[in-house]
Amino acid sequence: MEIVYVYTKKRSEFGRQCNFSDRPAELHVDILPDISLAANFTVRDPCNVTVQCAEEMSEHEVNTERFESESRGINHVEGGWPKDLNPEDMEVTIRYRKKVEKDEHYQNTIMQIAGLMEHCCKQNNATDIYQEFFEEEDDEVVEESEEQPSAKTINVFRDPNEVKRTATSLCWHPDGNHKLAVAYSSLEFQRAPNDMSFDSYIWDIENPNKPEMTLKPVSPLVCLEYNPKDSHILVGGSYNGQIAYWDTRKGSQPAEMSTIEHSHRDPVYKVIWLQSKTGTDIFSASTDGQVLWWDIRKMSEPFERLVLDPSKKGNLDNALGAVSLEFETTMPTKFMVGTEQGLVVSCNRKAKTPAEKIVCTYSGHHGPIYALQRNPFFPKNFLTVADWTARIWSEDIKESSIMWTKYHMAHLLDGCWSPVRPSVFFTVKMDGTLDVWDILFKQNDPTLSLKVCDEALCSIRVQDNGRFLGCGSQLGTTTLLEVSAGLCTLQKNEKAMVSEMFERETKREKILEARHREMRLKERSRSEQSREDEGKEADGEESTEELVARAEREFFDIMEAEKKKEWNEERQREKEKGVCEEKDFQEEHETNGVSSFTRREISL
């Protein structure tokens, strides 16, 4: 519960000025000398005291009549005050001041009339067809465009341990944003060194030399979140699947932890605080395919559970591994889960049965969805970051995203929306680059691309005012950046233009979706038509057999003719040599022909 202080005061005393009164001195504490303590002191003899040989001097300033009169608001003429003016005479002073003000007003009026006259004279001249009439406006536009988007490094927070770990999650302090909590872990399966530290830290953004506080979990933290209602409470998800929370007033050890048997079976990649009256409810997601709801006052077991089985049978073996989680306080019954398989699962917590809790899925990525966040100004549109692209979706379109970035050469590992500008979002890549996108400015390329470090950037978190952002790297280095004013200041009509853009792209995707549905219906009708034509295809097979038989007969006839021709030529040669042997060549020819035909038929 929040700590509330109530101050009672009479309504008649509100806004009244404080009244101070003199009172005699009062004696609050009187400490008498203790003679027994005198033995503990050592008398210093001699006692050396430094003395300045020169005289002590001080500098004083006073105002003359001229400055004193100026402080009264009297104007002066060049060369000083008139000799006949006595500043002590109030009536003369006021009369002289009015005279000077009148002269100044006359001069200003003459200057204005001169400007008008010059303008009128110009109007009477011939019109210059090459004149530029909006030079001032163009100069203003140029001045605005000259301020290019930029970002500068403010501080760098390095992992103080010798064995470097990945900064897997960042979280800003909810009150004042002057602290940054960083979770450190090694996500390489079974490759963590034996001497690796499990500690995570809370940093003061103005002191990069030493962390302000150390959090000591039993297993490395993969995610970490501040309680928005109580800034002393943090909750973290561990690599071994346990959930723990800390109260910074009680020290570095966890205040309470979940039990192993009722925790997740895989690393907990995301923990989010729920909107509740007590402010103690959370829910967590893990690659074991479960979403669990907890109350930090009773961490022995979760009070609700959801298995991300797309078949809606609740089978944990077929569940989709959860990597990211999204919950919007304005939609208390809805939440979304990003999975390892590249699907976004939309869920309804208040459904009656577990099967009804999984509402629908969105598919479009080829790998794990590392970031999932709704637009803070338009909650129906959400951002996903996975594989080589970042995509913007609409809840109404299930088959495709409405906007997406180009495919990058390096993997995208995290991203988030700007909390102050609806058209700006940030992404970090495996090559150590931070990209700032402004979809109103251009959609094909980032507005600003900044090389932050040489190793992969694995996490990013933007401050609530949109001015500062933290980027966590693979070697545990957290870089604090400050973006230019243009990237953290809401532009004129920006909300209306972004809303129009989202509506236009959603309408376009709906038209394409209807067209694809129509094409699928046509394809289905074609397949049905093909089934009806199976009889005709069977007839086509019989005609093919007839063609084969005719080809065989033609082949046999050709072979018969060739054999006859060879026999006649041989007979003619024997007659010429005078050798005539009576043989039944016809019978032998038929026998050989049949056997050769049989062999040919077998080969066919």
Side-chain angles (χ1 to χ4, degrees), residues 534-593:
E534 285 181 355
K536 296 180 181 180
E537 290 179 0
D539 295 340
E541 290 177 1
E542 292 179 2
S543 60
T544 304
E545 291 178 357
E546 291 177 357
L547 289 174
V548 172
R550 188 171 71 244
E552 287 181 354
R553 286 194 300 270
E554 290 177 356
F555 175 74
F556 292 158
D557 294 341
I558 292 172
M559 293 297 295
E560 180 77 17
E562 288 290 334
K563 286 290 183 180
K564 284 182 179 181
K565 186 178 178 181
E566 290 179 1
W567 183 75
N568 291 332
E569 289 178 354
E570 187 178 354
R571 181 116 179 196
Q572 187 67 25
R573 285 195 300 272
E574 288 179 354
K575 283 182 180 180
E576 291 177 356
K577 293 179 181 180
V579 180
C580 180
E581 297 178 358
E582 293 182 1
K583 295 180 180 179
D584 193 357
F585 292 104
Q586 182 70 26
E587 184 179 355
E588 183 183 357
H589 164 70
E590 290 177 359
T591 305
N592 293 335

Side-chain angles (χ1 to χ4, degrees), residues 325-339:
L325 202 57
E326 164 60 25
F327 173 73
E328 174 61 38
T329 55
T330 58
M331 303 176 178
T333 61
K334 292 184 178 181
F335 67 94
M336 307 181 81
V337 185
T339 64

Side-chain angles (χ1 to χ4, degrees), residues 167-413:
T168 54
S169 177
L170 309 176
C171 183
W172 288 97
H173 193 278
D175 296 338
N177 294 318
H178 59 281
K179 295 179 184 178
L180 183 64
V182 184
Y184 297 90
S185 178
S186 176
L187 298 180
E188 297 182 357
F189 181 63
Q190 293 184 347
R191 293 185 182 179
N194 295 328
D195 56 346
M196 187 186 75
S197 173
F198 292 173
D199 296 346
S200 293
Y201 304 103
I202 299 175
W203 298 86
D204 188 334
I205 63 174
E206 296 181 358
N207 182 17
N209 301 320
K210 184 180 178 182
E212 185 179 90
M213 185 175 181
T214 303
L215 305 178
K216 294 185 174 296
V218 296
S219 178
L221 292 180
V222 181
C223 57
L224 193 60
E225 287 291 333
Y226 269 106
N227 188 340
K229 287 191 173 183
D230 188 352
S231 58
H232 299 286
I233 304 296
L234 296 96
V235 65
S238 302
Y239 188 80
N240 66 350
Q242 286 183 285
I243 307 294
Y245 87 91
W246 283 262
D247 189 337
T248 56
R249 295 165 293 191
K250 296 181 180 179
S252 300
Q253 298 297 329
E256 194 171 350
M257 294 179 59
S258 62
T259 56
I260 283 285
E261 57 270 17
H262 292 106
S263 300
H264 290 280
R265 302 179 182 180
D266 283 353
V268 182
Y269 279 90
K270 192 66 176 177
V271 176
I272 293 182
W273 290 92
L274 289 169
Q275 190 80 8
S276 62
K277 294 181 180 179
T278 60
T280 58
D281 294 346
I282 60 172
F283 71 125
S284 58
S286 171
T287 48
D288 64 352
Q290 296 183 99
V291 179
L292 304 180
W293 281 264
W294 309 82
D295 189 338
I296 64 173
R297 297 174 299 180
K298 184 183 178 183
M299 298 285 288
S300 57
E301 59 179 346
F303 62 84
E304 194 173 344
R305 185 187 306 264
L306 173 64
V307 178
L308 297 173
D309 183 4
S311 62
K312 300 183 180 181
K313 296 180 180 179
N315 188 359
L316 194 58
D317 296 332
N318 299 330
L320 303 174
V323 181
S324 54
L325 202 57
E326 164 60 25
F327 173 73
E328 174 61 38
T329 55
T330 58
M331 303 176 178
T333 61
K334 292 184 178 181
F335 67 94
M336 307 181 81
V337 185
T339 64
E340 286 183 306
Q341 291 75 14
L343 296 176
V344 177
V345 183
S346 178
C347 305
N348 183 8
R349 184 188 171 194
K350 296 300 181 182
K352 295 181 179 178
T353 62
E356 294 176 356
K357 288 185 177 181
I358 299 177
V359 180
C360 63
T361 59
Y362 303 84
S363 61
H365 284 290
H366 309 294
I369 298 177
Y370 294 112
L372 171 62
Q373 186 185 12
R374 292 183 185 270
N375 190 299
F377 296 87
F378 306 100
K380 290 189 69 175
N381 301 98
F382 57 93
L383 171 73
T384 58
V385 175
D387 48 63
W388 302 271
T389 60
R391 295 176 178 269
I392 300 175
W393 303 73
S394 173
E395 279 190 342
D396 302 331
I397 307 296
K398 308 292 188 301
E399 296 185 357
S400 173
S401 54
I402 60 173
M403 299 179 72
W404 55 88
T405 66
K406 64 180 181 180
Y407 277 77
H408 297 274
M409 297 300 294
H411 275 80
L412 274 65
L413 298 180

Side-chain angles (χ1 to χ4, degrees), residues 475-503:
L475 297 181
T477 301
T478 303
T479 306
L480 181 63
L481 300 168
E482 180 183 7
V483 298
S484 57
L487 294 174
C488 59
T489 305
L490 188 65
Q491 305 297 315
K492 185 179 180 181
N493 298 328
E494 182 175 356
K495 288 184 181 179
M497 289 189 289
V498 174
S499 176
E500 183 181 353
M501 176 183 288
F502 285 162
E503 289 177 1

